[in-house]
Amino acid sequence: MVVSGCWVTGQKGKGLRVTAEADSPPSGRARLTDVAKLAGVSVGTASKALSGSGRMRPETRQRVLDAVATLGFRPNPQAQSLHTGRSWTVGLMTTDGIGRFSTPVLLGAEDALGAGKISVLLCDTRGDGIREQHHLRNLVDRRVDGIIVTGRRTDPRPPLKGVAPIPTVYALSPSTDPEDISVVSDELSGVTLAVEHLLATGRTRIAHLTGPAHHAAAQNRARHTSELLAAAGLELSTGRVHFGEWSEAWGRRGAEAVLRTAPDTDAFFCGNDQIARGVTDALREGGVEVPRTVAVVGYDNWGTMALASRPPLTTIDTDLAEIGRQAALRLLSAIDSERESGVHTVPCRLVVRDST
């Protein structure tokens, strides 16, 4: 099946209020004039925001989309397609069959696209190049207005072939072509939040356990951790980064190895929440109190792991939904011929729980 899902969604307007007299249309179906009035723009600007024509600030476009969602405005898709030559559909191509990372990105993209009544066609390539080309041909045949590409890793990926001139944005997994538009997590901000939090709690003997050395996420987080500690006049408790797997089993084994080598370790900063949960299990089973004796910080803020950990994990939230939303907004701008090439980052945030 080429298209595994198609949705038209909307959200309540952010910062907009709904009152029976002032904001709601006087009667019957909402009109474009009602949308323009609520968004505080001219009818022409509202029309351009919905048709994908003309230049405008992203905030202006978002106000119009929020007004559309609030009023339940429903433009005539047939008339719009004939007038603009657009299909009002966007393809979202993912390599993440499990959905662990692509689902939050998709939901964020729908927040921006759904309010404008743009359909999303979801295609899962399962990491297979032949399947990717098959889905791509079908998206081109369907005359999609644009494509968002995402995956389950932060490693740069080759750009799609044969999509020109369809606007394309890469989310989470950046394109290797600097002329493409990519929206990614700001790894440096995430690692900085984690390391500074541990230092602020008085930890000075910090170990770093992370995933496979050939993964960009593991390499970047390890490099930033080492550099930040060096800037503070410190080094990793064992003198090196411990690369392994993105798993709880590796977290358990790694924690045991670290404590054998450096028993005075007072904190673990882990490359993801699975590893961190394995670390807390090993510490608890070894009679080490968390966080009194050893603090633990994870990465990703994956609720399944972070909240089920004993104790619940302090971790870094990469804000995948915001990555998706930003990717969608940049795609809409690209459809309007307002391309902002290059890599755009979304900051992380620290979520403090009982493990620190």
Side-chain angles (χ1 to χ4, degrees):
M1 185 174 182
V2 175
V3 180
S4 55
C6 177
W7 304 269
V8 179
T9 61
Q11 67 178 42
K12 290 294 183 184
K14 297 175 181 175
L16 298 176
R17 59 186 177 81
V18 180
T19 64
E21 294 155 357
D23 298 333
S24 298
S27 62
R29 184 171 176 173
R31 299 165 298 179
L32 186 59
T33 53
D34 302 314
V35 172
K37 180 180 179 181
L38 182 57
V41 300
S42 68
V43 173
T45 298
S47 177
K48 290 176 182 178
L50 293 177
S51 67
S53 61
R55 294 177 177 271
M56 68 187 67
R57 292 181 299 176
E59 311 89 79
T60 302
R61 184 190 304 279
Q62 188 63 56
R63 286 209 313 274
V64 174
L65 296 179
D66 289 342
V68 166
T70 300
L71 297 175
F73 175 70
R74 299 180 62 186
N76 186 314
Q78 287 77 22
Q80 284 185 312
S81 295
L82 288 173
H83 178 67
T84 65
R86 290 181 53 180
S87 66
W88 300 96
T89 57
V90 164
L92 192 147
M93 189 173 293
T94 178
T95 61
D96 182 16
I98 300 174
R100 162 67 187 92
F101 295 98
S102 63
T103 296
V105 172
L106 169 62
L107 294 176
E110 283 193 316
D111 280 347
L113 298 172
K117 307 305 179 185
I118 297 176
S119 299
V120 177
L121 308 180
L122 176 61
C123 302
D124 178 18
T125 70
R126 304 177 195 175
D128 182 270
I130 295 177
R131 186 182 294 270
E132 178 176 280
Q133 286 301 306
H134 173 68
H135 286 319
L136 189 55
R137 285 193 298 271
N138 279 280
L139 290 176
V140 172
D141 290 344
R142 289 172 177 267
R143 299 177 182 272
V144 295
D145 297 324
I147 299 173
I148 297 175
V149 183
T150 188
R152 59 182 174 183
R153 287 170 57 173
T154 62
D155 299 69
R157 55 150 293 153
L160 295 179
K161 296 179 181 179
V163 296
I166 301 175
T168 303
V169 175
Y170 298 81
L172 189 64
S173 305
S175 169
T176 54
D177 186 344
E179 293 302 312
D180 285 332
I181 306 170
S182 300
V183 181
V184 303
S185 174
D186 186 347
E187 296 276 8
L188 177 57
S189 78
V191 175
T192 300
L193 288 170
V195 172
E196 289 184 347
H197 175 66
L198 288 173
L199 295 178
T201 60
R203 315 293 171 160
T204 59
R205 298 286 292 163
I206 301 170
H208 186 55
L209 267 63
T210 191
H214 63 278
H215 283 203
Q219 280 286 355
N220 291 335
R221 292 166 195 175
R223 184 179 74 257
H224 293 322
T225 299
S226 298
E227 291 173 350
L228 288 166
L229 288 177
L234 301 171
E235 63 176 13
L236 292 165
S237 66
T238 60
R240 67 181 183 90
V241 173
H242 295 263
F243 292 101
E245 306 164 353
W246 301 114
S247 69
E248 294 172 75
W250 162 237
R252 289 191 290 271
R253 296 195 309 271
E256 293 168 357
V258 166
L259 293 180
R260 282 197 301 270
T261 304
D264 59 345
T265 296
D266 59 12
F268 284 84
F269 172 37
C270 303
N272 77 349
D273 291 335
Q274 289 169 276
I275 297 172
R277 183 174 174 181
V279 168
T280 60
D281 286 347
L283 294 175
R284 186 177 63 256
E285 292 167 4
V288 179
E289 291 186 85
V290 177
R292 176 176 295 181
T293 305
V294 177
V296 181
V297 174
Y299 209 103
D300 291 335
N301 195 29
W302 183 12
T304 301
M305 288 290 157
L307 297 177
S309 177
R310 296 169 59 192
L313 291 171
T314 292
T315 184
I316 300 299
D317 192 318
T318 55
D319 208 348
L320 295 174
E322 181 61 16
I323 290 175
R325 194 183 77 86
Q326 288 289 335
L329 291 177
R330 292 187 183 279
L331 181 63
L332 291 173
S333 294
I335 292 171
D336 285 350
S337 301
E338 299 176 30
R339 297 185 79 259
E340 295 184 57
S341 301
V343 178
H344 307 272
T345 59
V346 172
C348 299
R349 64 186 181 91
L350 175 71
V351 180
V352 179
R353 299 192 180 96
D354 295 342
S355 66
T356 57

